[in-house]
């Protein structure tokens, strides 16, 4: 058999494997646009309590933002839960702790992942070759409920929505959304697509008609037909295995923990955590009128210039007592995405050391680097 024939046969087999693999979820690497869809990475915390009207932030599981508007009296806890359907070790759990059955018109609670435009070009949105969107995930709750899943194009203020049902058993939800030949996603690092689950909404968001095809955003249509997570203090909502891909739903694309962690660190990183008075971050003495110390920290490249915060409170000087700090700050150059400078001054100016380590007297101290969308 000729080499040319061998290569042709190999190509045919490879194409077949790619087709079968994509359908089975074994191949087709990179299908899932969502980061941390299996809820494995939680750098900030594994639990947050008292969330509700002030919940518009990232609290626990990486890349999943809990957004709130209005003045809802409802409150909840958000945790990384060690349960899931077969093949999943973790899920994101919301548990209502204070109900709100008197819903104001402007109230809203939404769970979302925000995606960069440059990661969405495969959908060819805004062109004649636009591809459909396929969303899938696993959900369960304490009782039957109905919520709304929305794809919101922030670049062009367009959206499309569908309701889905929750039962007391783990169920895979598979939602197909049509292609959109209007409005391209920006090819940049900005917020382009919001994959959102509406869990609670007032009349300003649910008094209209759900848009089954892409349309200009109308707030009243966004959560039409959805229920309220805050309808009972017994209410729970679990979700995992979130996937967004082009054209049609396939099996969930499992990625390694290390792979997901690196993806998450593009947006948020906890650098050099130190627990129980241990020192971790190296700084060097720079003599001026007092014993200042500073250190350059190099971290994984972020999506954009991050906001950096520190909560160290001790300076560990080799061979001498640990000093408390009179001040500590972080500076970062304009447009810098890979490094920052940590500056501090110890209370004890007479004890000199060429180098030292930042630490914390009690609890865990760290440098937090945030470039979330």
């Amino acid at each position: 058999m000729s080499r040319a024939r061998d290569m042709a046969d190999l190509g045919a087999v490879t194409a077949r494997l790619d087709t079968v693999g994509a359908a089975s979820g074994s191949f087709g690497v990179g299908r899932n646009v969502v980061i941390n869809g299996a809820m494995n990475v939680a750098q900030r915390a594994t639990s947050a309590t008292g969330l509700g009207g002030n919940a518009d932030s990232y609290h626990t599981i990486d890349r999943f933002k809990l957004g709130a508007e209005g003045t809802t009296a409802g409150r909840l806890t958000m945790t990384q839960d060690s349960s899931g359907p077969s093949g999943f070790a973790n899920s994101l759990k919301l548990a209502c702790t204070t109900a709100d059955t008197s819903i104001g018109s402007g109230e809203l609670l939404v769970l979302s992942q925000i995606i960069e435009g440059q990661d969405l070009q495969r959908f060819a949105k805004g062109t004649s070759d636009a591809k459909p969107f396929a969303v899938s995930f696993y959900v369960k709750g304490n009782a039957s409920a109905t919520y709304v899943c929305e794809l919101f194009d922030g670049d062009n203020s367009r959206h499309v929505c569908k309701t889905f049902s929750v039962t007391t058993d783990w169920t895979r939800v598979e939602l197909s959304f049509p292609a959109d030949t209007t409005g391209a996603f920006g090819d940049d690092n900005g917020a382009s697509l919001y994959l959102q689950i509406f869990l609670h909404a007032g009349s300003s968001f649910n008094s209209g008609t759900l848009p089954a095809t892409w349309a200009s955003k109308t707030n009243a249509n966004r959560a039409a037909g959805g229920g309220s997570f805050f309808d009972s203090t017994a209410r729970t909502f679990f979700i995992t295995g979130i996937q967004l891909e082009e054209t049609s739903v396939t099996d969930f694309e499992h990625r390694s923990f290390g792979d997901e962690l690196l993806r998450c660190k593009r947006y948020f990183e906890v650098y050099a955590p130190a627990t129980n008075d241990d020192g971790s971050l190296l700084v060097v003495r720079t003599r001026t009128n007092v014993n200042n110390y500073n250190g350059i920290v190099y971290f994984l490249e972020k999506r954009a210039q991050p906001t950096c915060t520190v909560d160290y409170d001790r300076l560990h000087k080799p061979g001498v007592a640990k000093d408390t700090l009179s001040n500590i700050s972080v500076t970062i150059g304009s447009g810098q995405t890979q490094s920052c400078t940590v500056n501090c001054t110890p209370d004890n100016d007479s004890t000199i050391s060429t180098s030292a380590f930042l630490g914390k007297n009690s609890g865990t101290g760290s440098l937090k680097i945030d470039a979330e969308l």
Side-chain angles (χ1 to χ4, degrees):
M1 187 177 290
S2 68
R3 179 176 174 80
R5 178 64 181 275
D6 288 343
M7 295 303 293
D9 287 347
L10 178 59
V13 170
T14 302
R16 175 62 179 160
L17 284 173
D18 284 344
T19 302
V20 173
S24 67
S26 301
F27 297 89
V29 175
R31 290 174 289 115
N32 191 6
V33 177
V34 170
I35 295 173
N36 199 28
M39 310 297 174
N40 291 329
V41 180
Q43 294 184 83
R44 293 173 177 82
T46 56
S47 180
T49 62
L51 306 180
N54 59 345
D56 196 17
S57 186
Y58 295 87
H59 299 282
T60 58
I61 295 176
D62 280 59
R63 299 297 297 122
F64 287 94
K65 183 178 185 178
L66 193 64
E69 294 183 21
T71 56
T72 176
R75 292 293 180 269
L76 59 85
T77 61
M78 181 181 188
T79 58
Q80 181 188 43
D81 196 76
S82 58
S83 66
S86 179
F88 293 85
N90 297 294
S91 60
L92 186 155
K93 176 185 178 182
L94 303 179
C96 181
T97 55
T98 303
D100 180 7
T101 55
S102 179
I103 305 172
S105 61
E107 292 182 17
L108 185 68
L109 181 72
V110 61
L111 180 68
S112 63
Q113 179 158 140
I114 309 171
I115 304 167
E116 296 177 49
Q118 59 195 3
D119 293 333
L120 297 163
Q121 298 305 305
R122 69 185 72 176
F123 293 97
K125 190 175 179 296
T127 75
S128 59
D129 296 320
K131 306 292 194 302
F133 297 76
V135 176
S136 55
F137 46 84
Y138 294 87
V139 288
K140 76 169 185 176
N142 68 302
S144 296
T146 300
Y147 301 114
V148 174
C149 178
E150 177 192 56
L151 296 182
F152 171 61
D153 170 6
D155 290 327
N156 302 285
S157 195
R158 293 172 62 77
H159 67 154
V160 62
C161 305
K162 283 194 173 182
T163 58
F164 65 92
S165 298
V166 176
T167 69
T168 55
D169 296 318
W170 282 109
T171 304
R172 194 180 195 209
V173 175
E174 299 180 354
L175 303 173
S176 296
F177 296 95
D180 187 16
T181 57
T182 300
F185 292 127
D187 185 21
D188 53 34
N189 67 346
S192 286
L193 184 67
Y194 297 69
L195 171 56
Q196 310 205 111
I197 294 176
F198 285 83
L199 297 164
H200 170 85
S203 59
S204 294
F205 300 97
N206 67 9
S207 58
T209 302
L210 215 61
T213 59
W214 286 92
S216 295
K217 185 194 74 171
T218 301
N219 275 340
N221 296 342
R222 303 183 75 179
S228 172
F229 172 80
F230 287 132
D231 62 357
S232 166
T233 53
R235 181 67 65 187
T236 59
F237 176 77
F238 296 77
I239 188 167
T240 193
I242 302 181
Q243 182 152 294
L244 169 64
E245 56 195 316
E246 63 180 87
T247 306
S248 59
V249 170
T250 64
D251 287 351
F252 181 78
E253 180 191 349
H254 286 277
R255 295 190 284 251
S256 71
F257 181 89
D259 188 354
E260 293 287 26
L261 179 60
L262 284 176
R263 292 170 188 252
C264 291
K265 285 188 175 184
R266 173 170 170 78
Y267 303 89
F268 179 80
E269 181 177 354
V270 180
Y271 187 93
T275 306
N276 297 329
D277 209 21
D278 294 329
S280 63
L281 200 156
L282 176 66
V283 288
V284 178
R285 176 175 172 263
T286 53
R287 178 68 179 174
T288 56
N289 59 324
V290 293
N291 286 316
N292 291 321
Y293 289 78
N294 63 60
I296 299 177
V297 176
Y298 296 95
F299 44 77
L300 292 172
E301 184 167 359
K302 297 295 174 278
R303 177 193 63 86
Q305 179 178 324
T307 299
C308 298
T309 56
V310 286
D311 61 356
Y312 299 109
D313 60 12
R314 288 291 183 96
L315 194 65
H316 298 218
K317 300 176 182 178
V320 299
K322 302 178 181 69
D323 286 340
T324 56
L325 300 174
S326 60
N327 65 73
I328 184 168
S329 63
V330 181
T331 59
I332 186 166
S334 177
Q336 180 56 256
T337 59
Q338 295 179 314
S339 67
C340 66
T341 302
V342 178
N343 317 278
C344 66
T345 304
D347 283 333
N348 186 352
D349 188 40
S350 62
T351 306
I352 298 172
S353 178
T354 301
S355 62
F357 292 90
L358 287 169
K360 193 169 178 68
N361 182 48
S362 178
T364 301
S366 65
L367 167 65
K368 294 180 180 178
I369 308 157
D370 192 335
E372 287 285 7
L373 288 161

